Amino acid sequence: MADHIILRNVTKVFNSKLGDIVAVDNFNLNVHEGECFSFLGPSGCGKSTTLRMIAGFEDLTEGEIELCGRLVSSSKQKLYVPPEERGLGMVFQAFAVWPHMNVYDNVAFPLKIQKMNKTDIDKKVADALKHTSLTGLEKSFPGDLSGGQQQRIALARAIVTNPKVMLLDEPLSNLDPKLRESMRFEIKQLQKEFNFTIIFVTHDQSEAMAISDRMMVCDMGKIMQIDTPENLYNKPVNRFVHNFLGESTFINVVIKNGKVYPKNDMSQAINISIPSDAASEMVVATRPNEIELVKSDATGFKTHIEKRTFLTDRIEYLVSVGEQLVKIQTPHRIRFDRDEECCIKLVSPMWYPVDDEKEQAERARRQVI
Ligand code: ATP
C-alpha cells in the first residue's frame, strides 16, 4: 500500500515573548493510502499545528512533507506549495459554512475557484449532495438547517473536488453525542465511496478509537506512540498513553527484597511478578475492569470496600491499597457492601517509571503560553 502522507523530521518552533515553544518536535509519520488516521492528545500537544503544516497554512522550521508522492513542503529546499494546490479536502472546526450562501453555492465554491464550467459544476455538486443526503436543499441557507445538515454541507464542499486526502479537524465537536455517532458512520461511508485518506484530529479518544485504523498519540510536541486503537489500549508504551486512552488505575509501589509493596506501607505485599528492569520505586498500572475482586483468596491483596457507586452498566468500588485508593469496576453480579472485607488481584499489570517532575512542569508551561 502506498504512503499518501509522509512527514520526515518535521519540526515547528514558535517564538513567543514567554519563550520558544517546540510545538512539533521531529515528527516522522507515514499515513497509508485509504487509511483513517487520527491525531490524538491533550490541548497544546501539537495536533493542529501538524495538520496546519500538512494543509499548507503553516511553514516548517525543519523537515519535509510529501502528499500523494509529491513534495509539498521542504525547509531545506525552501519549497512551499500553497494550500489550494495541495489537492486536499478539509473540514475544519473554524471553517464553518458560509451563512450568506445557499447550500448549492457553498458546495460549488471550490469548483468555481478552479474555473470549472457550469455543466460540470452542476453535475459534481449534485453528486456531492446526493452522497451527503442534502439533495433538494440546494436553495436553503445554512442558518435554516440543523447542525448535522450544516456539517454535511462542509463535508459535501470537501468531497466535491474529489480529493485524495481529507483533513478533518474536530469536525464533529459542535454536534450532540447521538448525531456525532451517526456522522462518524457517514464519514466512514463517504471514505469507502470516494476512497480518500483521512487525517482526523480530535480531543475525544473514544471517537478516535471508533473511527481510526491507526492513531498517533502525542504529548508536548512529541509522538508518544503510533499504533492501532487496540494495541494502543492494550500495549501503551508509557504511563501517559495508558492514562490518555481509557480509564486507568495506578498504584505507586516500592520493591524490597523481591517483593512489591504499596508506597509508604510495608505491612502487606502485592502478589505480582516483578519485571527484570524494575527500579526500586515504580508505578503499577491496570484498568479498573481488569482487577479481580473476590471475597477471599490466599494470593490476593486483603483490603476492604471504602466506597461503592452504582453506574447503571457496572459497579465501581474504591478499595484502599496502603495509603492509596484504587478504583475497580465490576459487572453487577459481583456485589460487595461498603466496609466489607475483600481481596483484589491485578490480572496483567503494566509497569512504568515514577513521574518525572521536569515533564510535569513543562506540560504546565505549555498550557500557559
Ligand atoms: P488544541 O487541542 O488545544 O487545539 P493542539 O494539540 O492542537 O491543541 P497546537 O494548537 O498545535 O496544539 O499547539 C501546540 C503548541 O504550540 C501550544 O503550546 C501552543 O500554545 C503553541 N502555538 C500554536 N500556535 C502558535 C502560534 N501561532 N504562536 C505561538 N505559539 C503557538
Side-chain angles (χ1 to χ4, degrees):
M1 210 188 299
D3 286 329
H4 254 174
I5 303 161
I6 303 176
L7 272 63
R8 290 192 197 92
N9 307 108
V10 169
T11 294
K12 177 73 188 179
V13 181
F14 288 111
N15 313 110
S16 86
K17 280 183 205 144
L18 294 165
D20 286 355
I21 280 279
V22 185
V24 172
D25 190 359
N26 198 26
F27 274 24
N28 284 290
L29 184 65
N30 292 49
V31 181
H32 313 314
E33 182 178 353
E35 201 171 23
C36 181
F37 191 98
S38 291
F39 294 173
L40 197 60
S43 192
C45 74
K47 308 179 290 289
S48 301
T49 304
T50 308
L51 199 74
R52 289 173 59 77
M53 288 192 287
I54 295 171
F57 296 129
E58 202 79 68
D59 62 356
L60 282 57
T61 309
E62 293 279 344
E64 57 185 35
I65 297 177
E66 212 177 281
L67 291 179
C68 303
R70 174 185 175 212
L71 197 62
V72 290
S73 294
S74 166
S75 64
K76 257 199 203 111
Q77 296 184 31
K78 304 219 177 316
L79 173 81
Y80 168 77
V81 175
E84 62 278 13
E85 290 171 27
R86 293 192 176 207
L88 301 165
M90 295 180 218
V91 181
F92 283 10
Q93 199 187 342
F95 268 23
V97 288
W98 292 293
H100 60 287
M101 287 187 195
N102 66 24
V103 171
Y104 175 93
D105 288 333
N106 259 289
V107 178
F109 188 80
L111 304 177
K112 286 184 182 162
I113 298 268
Q114 291 178 4
K115 305 217 175 343
M116 192 177 276
N117 69 59
K118 173 93 172 74
T119 319
D120 286 345
I121 292 181
D122 282 351
K123 227 164 76 194
K124 284 187 179 281
V125 171
D127 194 42
L129 294 182
K130 190 180 103 198
H131 280 95
T132 47
S133 310
L134 291 171
T135 308
L137 296 173
E138 291 80 353
K139 294 210 157 53
S140 305
F141 283 84
D144 300 327
L145 301 175
S146 70
Q149 285 169 322
Q150 291 189 30
Q151 204 56 320
R152 283 207 202 97
I153 305 174
L155 277 172
R157 193 177 57 192
I159 59 174
V160 78
T161 54
N162 207 4
K164 295 259 177 301
V165 172
M166 185 73 83
L167 305 182
L168 306 174
D169 190 0
E170 301 270 6
L172 310 178
S173 58
N174 297 329
L175 308 178
D176 67 60
K178 269 234 163 83
L179 197 53
R180 284 176 86 115
E181 210 178 307
S182 66
M183 286 296 291
R184 244 191 248 154
F185 179 75
E186 286 179 35
I187 290 173
K188 289 293 272 187
Q189 204 56 30
L190 281 175
Q191 185 190 23
K192 252 197 219 149
E193 285 157 16
F194 287 82
N195 195 30
F196 44 74
T197 304
I198 295 181
I199 294 213
F200 190 84
V201 171
T202 180
H203 275 100
D204 182 335
Q205 42 117 336
S206 56
E207 187 162 277
M209 290 234 173
I211 203 170
S212 313
D213 298 306
R214 285 189 307 151
M215 314 197 286
M216 166 176 85
V217 181
C218 358
D219 184 30
M220 295 191 291
K222 289 198 165 61
I223 297 177
M224 293 285 118
Q225 192 171 358
I226 297 174
D227 214 325
T228 59
E230 230 171 304
N231 279 347
L232 284 167
Y233 183 79
N234 290 324
K235 298 173 194 160
V237 292
N238 58 28
R239 180 177 176 165
F240 173 82
V241 178
H242 196 292
N243 196 31
F244 198 75
L245 296 175
E247 291 208 56
S248 298
T249 292
F250 297 115
I251 306 171
N252 288 299
V253 298
V254 292
I255 298 166
K256 204 158 182 203
N257 302 329
K259 288 192 166 171
V260 182
Y261 297 94
K263 192 174 176 192
N264 298 332
D265 185 349
M266 308 286 281
S267 59
Q268 187 185 175
I270 305 170
N271 194 2
I272 43 176
S273 49
I274 306 167
S276 56
D277 57 352
S280 59
E281 288 203 25
M282 296 290 284
V283 175
V284 170
T286 181
R287 307 286 178 191
N289 60 0
E290 282 177 3
I291 300 175
E292 273 179 29
L293 181 61
V294 291
K295 297 267 179 220
S296 67
D297 185 305
T299 60
F301 186 90
K302 288 177 194 51
T303 178
H304 63 274
I305 306 289
E306 294 276 356
K307 192 171 174 220
R308 172 186 192 277
T309 311
F310 178 79
L311 296 176
T312 59
D313 58 339
R314 59 202 189 279
I315 300 178
E316 187 170 286
Y317 295 101
L318 289 181
V319 303
S320 50
V321 173
E323 292 177 352
Q324 302 163 69
L325 281 179
V326 167
K327 193 199 291 180
I328 304 171
Q329 289 171 352
T330 70
H332 285 165
R333 67 188 146 75
I334 306 202
R335 293 193 68 91
F336 283 83
D337 293 318
R338 201 174 154 189
D339 295 328
E340 190 175 340
E341 302 218 325
C342 61
C343 269
I344 63 164
K345 285 171 88 176
L346 307 186
V347 180
S348 42
M350 282 166 261
W351 292 75
Y352 301 116
V354 287
D355 271 352
D356 182 341
E357 276 172 25
K358 259 204 241 149
E359 219 173 74
Q360 298 291 357
E362 174 59 13
R363 189 170 290 126
R365 183 179 90 95
R366 296 171 73 91
Q367 267 149 25
V368 170
I369 289 180

